[in-house]
Structures are given as C-alpha cells and as structure tokens.
Amino acid sequence: LASEFKEHASALALAISLIWMVHPLLTDAVTYVAQRTEVLMGLFCLLMLYCAIRAGERDITAGSRRFWTVAAIVSCALGMGSKQTMVVAPAMVWLWDWLLGERAADGSRSRRGLYAGLAATWAVLAALVWMERWPHSIGFAREGWTPWTYLLTQTGVIMLVYLREAVDRH
C-alpha cells in the first residue's frame, strides 16, 4: 500500500482522523460513562499495533527493536486490564504481519519473542476474569438474562442503532 499512498499519506490520515473526530457516533463513547473503558482499550490496542509495526521495521537497531517490542507488550497488557475485548489483540499483530508486514524468510523467527510476550498478556486478562473484576458487566446476574438473550439484544442494538447512526446522521 505504501507505493500507492505514500505521497498523500499525511493528508489522508488527517482527513480520516478529522472525519472520525467529529462524527456524532463517536460522542457516545465519551459521554456514556460505561463506554470509556472501550475508548481506553482502543487506545492501548492501537498503541500496541503501532509499536509492533515499528518493532518489525528492517532498518532499526537491536536496541530500538527491543524498545518497541517491550512497548507493544506493555500496551497490550494495559489494554487487557481495560476491557475484555482486547483478547483479540495478540492475534491482530500476527494477522497484520501475515497480511501486510514484510515477510522475510526468517521474519517469523525474529518476531517470536513479540508474539510470546503478547500472548503472555492473556494471563492478565485471565487473572482479572478469575478475580471477577467484571462479574455483572453484561447483566447475566439480572433475573431472566441468559447469554442467548444478551446476544439477541446486542445484535439488535448493533443492527438497528449503530449502523443506522453511522450512515444516517447528518
């Protein structure tokens, strides 16, 4: 993608950021108190992905590679402490490398430390779930709520509310 967008990358990034910064759908995340953890998790997830990408650059020193690797792992651990949906983050880095990263013959071997460190952050999430930090976060403790009714409710919210708001707001 770099060859196609390199000249206009900064302007394109600014335009996309401005659109999402002023889009009304995003105000829900900062005005609805429970969604602030989602924003925090998103911040750490993007920071983790950025650091992992930087750690994979070819023309950096071993010290810089180590710094970016540690920063990616710390960001991932902080994200795991923010919200359970961060569970997919280690797989995102692997998927990024597989789909968009530079695939050198020995590329997977040099990233094994990063992958192992990111996978180790699942222990943070497991510990928090085990300690029941979020025992009633999705309402299963309420009378009559089951995982199935929750799934049906959330599917309706996504289809009827968020997609409509994403497209229909002026």
Side-chain angles (χ1 to χ4, degrees):
L1 297 175
S3 62
E4 296 176 32
F5 298 106
K6 189 173 187 170
E7 287 182 34
H8 307 291
S10 294
L12 186 60
L14 177 64
I16 292 169
S17 298
L18 288 174
I19 289 169
W20 280 107
M21 186 172 70
V22 300
H23 196 281
L25 182 60
L26 293 180
T27 61
D28 289 346
V30 293
T31 58
Y32 182 47
V33 174
Q35 293 300 321
R36 291 185 184 161
T37 59
E38 193 77 35
V39 174
L40 189 60
M41 183 278 307
L43 170 73
F44 288 129
C45 188
L46 290 174
L47 184 61
M48 177 220 48
L49 190 57
Y50 174 77
C51 293
I53 292 168
R54 293 293 306 268
E57 291 178 347
R58 288 181 185 227
D59 300 330
I60 63 172
T61 65
S64 292
R65 187 173 316 280
R66 198 169 20 259
F67 169 79
W68 288 114
T69 298
V70 169
I73 294 168
V74 169
S75 298
C76 190
L78 291 170
M80 294 289 183
S82 300
K83 190 148 173 110
Q84 303 98 317
T85 51
M86 187 73 173
V87 71
V88 299
M92 284 176 43
V93 172
W94 177 83
L95 193 60
W96 173 275
D97 285 350
W98 186 69
L99 290 173
L100 300 171
E102 295 182 25
R103 289 183 246 165
D106 64 337
S108 62
R109 268 186 255 128
S110 65
R111 305 274 281 177
R112 284 187 182 156
L114 172 67
Y115 298 148
L118 293 175
T121 64
W122 282 325
V124 172
L125 181 60
L128 291 171
V129 169
W130 182 74
M131 292 183 332
E132 295 186 20
R133 179 173 169 213
W134 304 287
H136 308 296
S137 64
I138 57 173
F140 291 153
R142 292 188 215 160
E143 194 173 315
W145 281 89
T146 65
W148 179 249
T149 56
Y150 178 76
L151 175 66
L152 292 176
T153 302
Q154 291 304 306
T155 304
V157 168
I158 290 169
M159 295 302 293
L160 298 175
V161 178
Y162 288 121
L163 289 178
R164 187 187 74 228
E165 285 185 14
V167 176
D168 205 25
R169 290 253 179 136
H170 318 7

